[in-house]
CSV table of all heavy atoms in Angstrom, one decimal:
chain,number,residue,atom,x,y,z
A,11,ARG,N,84.8,92.1,110.8
A,11,ARG,CA,83.4,92.6,110.8
A,11,ARG,C,82.9,93.1,109.6
A,11,ARG,O,83.6,93.2,108.7
A,11,ARG,CB,83.3,93.7,112.0
A,11,ARG,CG,84.0,94.9,111.6
A,11,ARG,CD,84.2,95.9,112.7
A,11,ARG,NE,84.7,97.2,112.2
A,11,ARG,CZ,86.0,97.4,111.8
A,11,ARG,NH1,86.8,96.5,111.8
A,11,ARG,NH2,86.4,98.7,111.4
A,12,LEU,N,81.6,93.4,109.6
A,12,LEU,CA,81.0,93.9,108.3
A,12,LEU,C,81.4,95.3,108.3
A,12,LEU,O,81.3,96.1,109.1
A,12,LEU,CB,79.4,93.8,108.4
A,12,LEU,CG,78.8,92.5,108.4
A,12,LEU,CD1,77.4,92.5,108.5
A,12,LEU,CD2,79.2,91.8,107.0
A,13,VAL,N,82.0,95.7,107.0
A,13,VAL,CA,82.4,97.1,106.8
A,13,VAL,C,81.9,97.4,105.4
A,13,VAL,O,82.0,96.5,104.4
A,13,VAL,CB,83.9,97.1,106.8
A,13,VAL,CG1,84.5,98.5,106.3
A,13,VAL,CG2,84.4,96.7,108.1
A,14,PRO,N,81.5,98.5,105.1
A,14,PRO,CA,81.0,98.9,103.8
A,14,PRO,C,82.2,98.8,102.7
A,14,PRO,O,83.3,99.2,103.0
A,14,PRO,CB,80.6,100.4,103.9
A,14,PRO,CG,80.2,100.6,105.3
A,14,PRO,CD,81.1,99.7,106.1
A,15,ALA,N,81.9,98.2,101.7
A,15,ALA,CA,83.0,98.0,100.6
A,15,ALA,C,83.6,99.2,100.2
A,15,ALA,O,84.8,99.3,99.9
A,15,ALA,CB,82.4,97.1,99.5
A,16,ALA,N,82.8,100.3,100.0
A,16,ALA,CA,83.3,101.6,99.6
A,16,ALA,C,84.3,102.1,100.5
A,16,ALA,O,85.3,102.7,100.2
A,16,ALA,CB,82.1,102.6,99.5
A,17,SER,N,84.2,101.9,101.8
A,17,SER,CA,85.2,102.4,102.8
A,17,SER,C,86.6,101.6,102.6
A,17,SER,O,87.6,102.4,102.7
A,17,SER,CB,84.7,102.1,104.3
A,17,SER,OG,83.4,102.7,104.5
A,18,VAL,N,86.5,100.3,102.3
A,18,VAL,CA,87.7,99.6,102.1
A,18,VAL,C,88.3,100.0,100.9
A,18,VAL,O,89.6,100.2,100.8
A,18,VAL,CB,87.4,98.2,102.0
A,18,VAL,CG1,88.7,97.2,101.9
A,18,VAL,CG2,86.8,97.6,103.4
A,19,ARG,N,87.5,100.2,99.7
A,19,ARG,CA,88.2,100.6,98.5
A,19,ARG,C,88.9,102.0,98.7
A,19,ARG,O,89.8,102.2,98.0
A,19,ARG,CB,87.0,100.7,97.5
A,19,ARG,CG,86.6,99.4,96.9
A,19,ARG,CD,85.7,99.6,95.6
A,19,ARG,NE,84.5,100.4,95.8
A,19,ARG,CZ,83.4,99.9,96.1
A,19,ARG,NH1,83.3,98.6,96.2
A,19,ARG,NH2,82.4,100.6,96.3
A,20,ASP,N,88.3,102.9,99.4
A,20,ASP,CA,88.9,104.2,99.5
A,20,ASP,C,90.3,104.1,100.2
A,20,ASP,O,91.2,104.8,99.9
A,20,ASP,CB,87.9,105.2,100.3
A,20,ASP,CG,86.7,105.6,99.6
A,20,ASP,OD1,86.7,105.4,98.3
A,20,ASP,OD2,85.7,106.0,100.2
A,21,VAL,N,90.4,103.2,101.1
A,21,VAL,CA,91.6,103.1,101.8
A,21,VAL,C,92.7,102.4,101.1
A,21,VAL,O,93.9,102.7,101.0
A,21,VAL,CB,91.4,102.4,103.3
A,21,VAL,CG1,92.7,102.0,103.9
A,21,VAL,CG2,90.5,103.2,104.1
A,22,VAL,N,92.2,101.3,100.2
A,22,VAL,CA,93.1,100.5,99.6
A,22,VAL,C,93.6,101.2,98.2
A,22,VAL,O,94.7,100.9,97.8
A,22,VAL,CB,92.5,99.1,99.3
A,22,VAL,CG1,93.3,98.4,98.2
A,22,VAL,CG2,92.2,98.4,100.6
A,23,ARG,N,92.7,102.0,97.6
A,23,ARG,CA,93.1,102.5,96.3
A,23,ARG,C,94.5,103.2,96.2
A,23,ARG,O,95.2,102.9,95.2
A,23,ARG,CB,92.0,103.7,96.0
A,23,ARG,CG,92.2,104.1,94.5
A,23,ARG,CD,91.0,105.0,94.1
A,23,ARG,NE,89.7,104.3,94.0
A,23,ARG,CZ,88.7,104.5,94.8
A,23,ARG,NH1,88.8,105.4,95.9
A,23,ARG,NH2,87.6,103.8,94.8
A,24,PRO,N,94.9,104.0,97.1
A,24,PRO,CA,96.3,104.6,96.9
A,24,PRO,C,97.4,103.5,96.9
A,24,PRO,O,98.4,103.7,96.3
A,24,PRO,CB,96.4,105.5,98.2
A,24,PRO,CG,95.0,105.8,98.6
A,24,PRO,CD,94.3,104.6,98.3
A,25,LEU,N,97.1,102.4,97.6
A,25,LEU,CA,98.2,101.3,97.6
A,25,LEU,C,98.3,100.6,96.4
A,25,LEU,O,99.4,100.0,96.2
A,25,LEU,CB,97.8,100.3,98.8
A,25,LEU,CG,97.6,100.9,100.1
A,25,LEU,CD1,97.2,99.8,101.1
A,25,LEU,CD2,98.9,101.7,100.6
A,26,ARG,N,97.3,100.7,95.4
A,26,ARG,CA,97.5,100.0,94.2
A,26,ARG,C,98.5,100.6,93.3
A,26,ARG,O,99.0,100.0,92.2
A,26,ARG,CB,96.1,100.0,93.5
A,26,ARG,CG,95.1,99.1,94.3
A,26,ARG,CD,93.7,99.2,93.7
A,26,ARG,NE,93.8,98.5,92.3
A,26,ARG,CZ,93.7,97.2,92.0
A,26,ARG,NH1,93.7,96.5,93.0
A,26,ARG,NH2,93.8,96.8,90.8
A,27,ALA,N,99.0,101.8,93.7
A,27,ALA,CA,100.0,102.4,92.8
A,27,ALA,C,101.4,102.1,93.2
A,27,ALA,O,102.5,102.3,92.6
A,27,ALA,CB,99.9,104.0,92.9
A,28,LEU,N,101.5,101.2,94.3
A,28,LEU,CA,102.9,100.9,94.8
A,28,LEU,C,103.6,99.9,93.7
A,28,LEU,O,102.8,99.0,93.2
A,28,LEU,CB,102.8,100.3,96.2
A,28,LEU,CG,102.3,101.2,97.3
A,28,LEU,CD1,102.2,100.3,98.6
A,28,LEU,CD2,103.4,102.4,97.6
A,29,GLU,N,104.9,99.9,93.6
A,29,GLU,CA,105.6,99.1,92.8
A,29,GLU,C,105.5,97.5,93.4
A,29,GLU,O,105.4,97.4,94.7
A,29,GLU,CB,107.1,99.4,92.7
A,29,GLU,CG,107.2,100.7,91.8
A,29,GLU,CD,106.8,100.5,90.5
A,29,GLU,OE1,107.0,99.4,89.8
A,29,GLU,OE2,106.1,101.4,89.9
A,30,ALA,N,105.4,96.7,92.6
A,30,ALA,CA,105.5,95.3,93.0
A,30,ALA,C,106.8,94.9,93.7
A,30,ALA,O,107.9,95.5,93.3
A,30,ALA,CB,105.3,94.3,91.8
A,31,VAL,N,106.7,94.0,94.7
A,31,VAL,CA,107.9,93.5,95.3
A,31,VAL,C,108.1,92.0,94.8
A,31,VAL,O,107.1,91.3,94.6
A,31,VAL,CB,107.9,93.6,96.8
A,31,VAL,CG1,108.0,95.0,97.3
A,31,VAL,CG2,106.7,92.9,97.5
A,32,GLU,N,109.3,91.6,94.8
A,32,GLU,CA,109.6,90.2,94.3
A,32,GLU,C,110.2,89.4,95.3
A,32,GLU,O,111.0,89.8,96.2
A,32,GLU,CB,110.6,90.4,93.1
A,32,GLU,CG,110.6,89.1,92.2
A,32,GLU,CD,111.1,89.5,90.7
A,32,GLU,OE1,111.1,90.7,90.4
A,32,GLU,OE2,111.5,88.5,90.2
A,33,THR,N,109.9,88.0,95.4
A,33,THR,CA,110.5,87.1,96.3
A,33,THR,C,110.6,85.8,95.7
A,33,THR,O,110.0,85.5,94.6
A,33,THR,CB,109.6,87.0,97.6
A,33,THR,OG1,110.1,86.2,98.5
A,33,THR,CG2,108.2,86.3,97.3
A,34,GLU,N,111.6,84.9,96.1
A,34,GLU,CA,111.8,83.7,95.5
A,34,GLU,C,111.1,82.6,96.2
A,34,GLU,O,111.2,82.6,97.5
A,34,GLU,CB,113.3,83.5,95.5
A,34,GLU,CG,113.8,82.2,94.7
A,34,GLU,CD,113.9,82.5,93.2
A,34,GLU,OE1,113.5,83.7,92.8
A,34,GLU,OE2,114.3,81.6,92.5
A,35,VAL,N,110.5,81.7,95.6
A,35,VAL,CA,109.8,80.6,96.0
A,35,VAL,C,110.7,79.3,95.9
A,35,VAL,O,110.9,78.9,94.8
A,35,VAL,CB,108.4,80.4,95.4
A,35,VAL,CG1,107.7,79.0,96.0
A,35,VAL,CG2,107.5,81.6,95.7
A,36,ARG,N,111.1,78.8,96.9
A,36,ARG,CA,112.1,77.6,96.9
A,36,ARG,C,111.4,76.4,97.6
A,36,ARG,O,112.0,75.3,97.5
A,36,ARG,CB,113.4,78.0,97.5
A,36,ARG,CG,114.0,79.1,96.9
A,36,ARG,CD,115.4,79.4,97.6
A,36,ARG,NE,116.1,80.6,97.2
A,36,ARG,CZ,116.8,80.6,96.0
A,36,ARG,NH1,117.0,79.4,95.4
A,36,ARG,NH2,117.4,81.7,95.6
A,37,GLN,N,110.3,76.5,98.4
A,37,GLN,CA,109.8,75.5,99.1
A,37,GLN,C,108.2,75.5,99.1
A,37,GLN,O,107.6,76.5,99.0
A,37,GLN,CB,110.3,75.3,100.5
A,37,GLN,CG,111.7,75.1,100.7
A,37,GLN,CD,112.1,75.1,102.2
A,37,GLN,OE1,111.6,75.9,103.1
A,37,GLN,NE2,113.1,74.3,102.5
A,38,VAL,N,107.6,74.3,99.2
A,38,VAL,CA,106.2,74.2,99.5
A,38,VAL,C,106.0,73.3,100.7
A,38,VAL,O,106.7,72.4,100.9
A,38,VAL,CB,105.5,73.5,98.2
A,38,VAL,CG1,104.0,73.4,98.6
A,38,VAL,CG2,105.6,74.4,97.0
A,39,HIS,N,105.1,73.6,101.6
A,39,HIS,CA,104.9,72.9,102.8
A,39,HIS,C,103.4,72.3,102.8
A,39,HIS,O,102.5,72.9,102.5
A,39,HIS,CB,105.0,73.9,104.0
A,39,HIS,CG,106.2,74.7,104.1
A,39,HIS,ND1,107.5,74.1,104.3
A,39,HIS,CD2,106.5,76.0,103.9
A,39,HIS,CE1,108.5,75.1,104.3
A,39,HIS,NE2,107.8,76.2,103.9
A,40,ILE,N,103.4,71.1,103.3
A,40,ILE,CA,102.2,70.4,103.7
A,40,ILE,C,102.1,70.7,105.2
A,40,ILE,O,102.9,70.5,106.0
A,40,ILE,CB,102.2,69.0,103.4
A,40,ILE,CG1,102.4,68.7,102.0
A,40,ILE,CG2,100.9,68.3,104.1
A,40,ILE,CD1,102.5,67.2,101.6
A,41,VAL,N,101.0,71.4,105.7
A,41,VAL,CA,100.8,71.9,107.0
A,41,VAL,C,99.5,71.4,107.6
A,41,VAL,O,98.6,71.1,106.9
A,41,VAL,CB,100.9,73.4,107.1
A,41,VAL,CG1,102.2,73.9,106.4
A,41,VAL,CG2,99.7,74.0,106.4
A,42,GLU,N,99.5,71.5,108.9
A,42,GLU,CA,98.2,71.2,109.7
A,42,GLU,C,97.9,72.7,110.2
A,42,GLU,O,98.6,73.4,110.8
A,42,GLU,CB,98.4,70.5,111.0
A,42,GLU,CG,97.1,70.2,111.6
A,42,GLU,CD,97.4,69.3,112.9
A,42,GLU,OE1,98.5,69.4,113.5
A,42,GLU,OE2,96.4,68.6,113.2
A,43,LEU,N,96.8,73.2,109.5
A,43,LEU,CA,96.3,74.6,109.7
A,43,LEU,C,95.2,74.6,110.7
A,43,LEU,O,94.4,73.8,110.9
A,43,LEU,CB,95.7,75.0,108.3
A,43,LEU,CG,95.4,76.5,108.2
A,43,LEU,CD1,96.6,77.4,108.2
A,43,LEU,CD2,94.6,76.7,106.9
A,44,ARG,N,95.3,75.7,111.6
A,44,ARG,CA,94.3,76.0,112.5
A,44,ARG,C,94.0,77.5,112.5
A,44,ARG,O,94.8,78.2,112.2
A,44,ARG,CB,94.8,75.6,113.9
A,44,ARG,CG,96.0,76.3,114.4
A,44,ARG,CD,96.4,75.8,115.8
A,44,ARG,NE,97.5,76.6,116.2
A,44,ARG,CZ,98.8,76.4,115.9
A,44,ARG,NH1,99.2,75.4,115.2
A,44,ARG,NH2,99.8,77.1,116.6
A,45,ARG,N,92.7,77.8,112.9
A,45,ARG,CA,92.3,79.1,112.9
A,45,ARG,C,92.3,79.6,114.3
A,45,ARG,O,91.4,79.0,115.1
A,45,ARG,CB,90.9,79.2,112.3
A,45,ARG,CG,90.3,80.7,112.2
A,45,ARG,CD,91.1,81.5,111.3
A,45,ARG,NE,90.3,82.7,110.9
A,45,ARG,CZ,90.7,84.0,111.1
A,45,ARG,NH1,91.8,84.2,111.7
A,45,ARG,NH2,90.0,85.1,110.7
A,46,GLU,N,93.1,80.5,114.5
A,46,GLU,CA,93.1,81.1,116.0
A,46,GLU,C,92.3,82.4,115.9
A,46,GLU,O,91.8,82.9,114.8
A,46,GLU,CB,94.5,81.4,116.3
A,46,GLU,CG,95.2,80.0,116.6
A,46,GLU,CD,96.7,80.2,117.2
A,46,GLU,OE1,97.2,81.4,117.3
A,46,GLU,OE2,97.3,79.2,117.5
A,47,PRO,N,92.0,83.1,117.1
A,47,PRO,CA,91.2,84.2,117.1
A,47,PRO,C,91.5,85.2,116.1
A,47,PRO,O,90.5,85.9,115.5
A,47,PRO,CB,91.3,84.7,118.5
A,47,PRO,CG,91.5,83.4,119.3
A,47,PRO,CD,92.4,82.7,118.4
A,48,LEU,N,92.8,85.6,115.9
A,48,LEU,CA,93.2,86.8,115.1
A,48,LEU,C,93.8,86.3,113.8
A,48,LEU,O,94.1,87.2,112.9
A,48,LEU,CB,93.9,87.7,115.8
A,48,LEU,CG,93.3,88.3,117.1
A,48,LEU,CD1,94.3,89.3,117.7
A,48,LEU,CD2,92.0,89.1,116.7
């Protein structure tokens, strides 16, 4: 839904200080994508 950008920034800002997490990428997929309600 429409939300003021400032509200999102305020909530997200503390999360920007978290350390990065790392993962290994070993595969790429060709997929049939669909948009469901959520």
Side-chain angles (χ1 to χ4, degrees):
R11 67 192 187 286
L12 292 176
V13 179
S17 299
V18 179
R19 283 196 297 268
D20 289 344
V21 173
V22 170
R23 187 176 292 113
L25 303 177
R26 295 179 61 81
L28 294 173
E29 290 296 319
V31 294
E32 197 158 341
T33 187
E34 189 78 358
V35 176
R36 301 180 185 276
Q37 294 180 324
V38 178
H39 307 288
I40 297 174
V41 306
E42 184 182 30
L43 184 71
R44 63 186 183 274
R45 182 67 161 122
E46 295 187 351
L48 301 180

